[in-house]
Amino acid sequence: MTFTESVAKANHWERRVIFKNGLDVDFIIIDEELLLHKNDQLLIAKEICSKNICVLIDKKELHSALSGLHTQPKLFLTPSFNEFNNIVNDFYFHYLWAYKKLMRGEYWVTLQCLNGYLKNKLLIMLEFYEHALNGNNYNTFYGGRFIEKWVEPDIRQDFSTLFSRNNPDEMKNILNNNFDFFTKISMDTAEKLNYSFPKEEKDKLKKWVQEHY
């Protein structure tokens, strides 16, 4: 099986393949002109090669140029208050949005938001929290990789209460679990970063949902 997964605006073209022995390979096609003269425009390729690079075949003697893709991994930067606050508001907005979809009987869309979009925002907040707790050099990998290893054990034990099946009552309960879980993590993060938290607005939102739904 094979498919393409590219980001043209970032000069990234990729074909991903599964071979018959189960081996999966990502083939990244790089513009030679960019590689030789403008490798700063190959942002995704450089990020992929940030840990290491090993040249196996080099018929055009591009070893030095390929080695130039190797960069130091990006250091986590403490989020500004605006970045932190935007994630908080984004999460709460879509919490209500998912509730509305649930009440309209749009269960598929509700699940997409609950198990997908809200989890992306929660993951960002968990990364903020862990770095606030352990420092910017702490390795939270990317995209939730190895989260079972880098997140605090008392937080990890709540993960089983955050994902829902396609059942209206269960979705409602899981939405509320996510609200409470996100609130705890984000309030703790705000305290560690010495940022204000919209507690009054959060309480009003929760009360409104309880009264209407």
Side-chain angles (χ1 to χ4, degrees), residues 3-192:
F3 69 101
T4 59
E5 188 177 89
S6 304
V7 186
K9 63 181 180 180
N11 299 306
H12 187 77
W13 293 270
E14 186 171 345
R15 177 168 287 281
R16 310 186 72 179
V17 183
I18 299 177
F19 291 97
K20 63 182 181 180
N21 63 354
L23 176 69
D24 61 279
V25 180
D26 303 343
F27 293 94
I28 300 171
I29 312 304
I30 294 178
D31 185 310
E32 184 176 338
E33 183 67 18
L34 294 179
L35 175 66
L36 292 174
H37 304 294
K38 301 177 181 179
N39 78 1
D40 59 315
Q41 296 183 22
L42 301 172
L43 298 179
I44 298 178
K46 295 186 80 167
E47 185 172 351
I48 292 172
C49 297
S50 62
K51 287 189 175 181
N52 202 356
I53 184 170
C54 178
V55 179
L56 301 180
I57 300 174
D58 187 12
K59 295 182 178 181
K60 298 194 70 174
E61 298 185 352
L62 297 173
H63 180 273
S64 59
L66 289 167
S67 297
L69 294 175
H70 177 55
T71 58
Q72 293 299 315
K74 290 191 299 184
L75 180 67
F76 177 86
L77 299 177
T78 300
S80 67
F81 169 73
N82 286 338
E83 291 172 323
F84 169 83
N85 191 55
N86 198 63
I87 294 297
V88 171
N89 282 269
D90 192 341
F91 181 93
Y92 287 138
F93 176 96
H94 283 92
Y95 160 78
L96 176 60
W97 185 89
Y99 238 119
K100 290 180 177 181
K101 297 300 180 183
L102 173 60
M103 294 302 146
R104 294 170 186 166
E106 296 184 66
Y107 302 146
W108 181 285
V109 176
T110 302
L111 282 173
Q112 282 184 310
C113 185
L114 174 54
N115 289 342
Y117 191 88
L118 288 179
K119 290 304 175 298
N120 289 333
K121 302 307 169 185
L122 177 56
L123 174 61
I124 293 173
M125 188 56 65
L126 284 170
E127 291 173 346
F128 287 174
Y129 173 80
E130 290 294 335
H131 285 287
L133 186 67
N134 298 295
N136 285 357
N137 289 325
Y138 189 67
N139 191 358
T140 55
F141 293 84
Y142 65 96
R145 301 290 180 91
F146 301 107
I147 190 172
E148 292 80 9
K149 294 183 178 180
W150 56 256
V151 81
E152 303 304 302
D154 60 322
I155 293 176
R156 185 175 64 243
Q157 68 183 10
D158 290 330
F159 284 177
S160 62
T161 69
L162 300 177
F163 292 84
S164 179
R165 296 169 297 178
N166 191 357
N167 176 283
D169 290 333
E170 183 174 319
M171 284 188 274
K172 183 176 180 180
N173 291 332
I174 298 299
L175 269 169
N176 291 326
N177 289 348
N178 276 263
F179 182 98
D180 295 338
F181 184 84
F182 179 86
T183 296
K184 180 182 184 305
I185 298 301
S186 55
M187 289 185 71
D188 287 348
T189 303
E191 181 179 359
K192 294 181 185 302

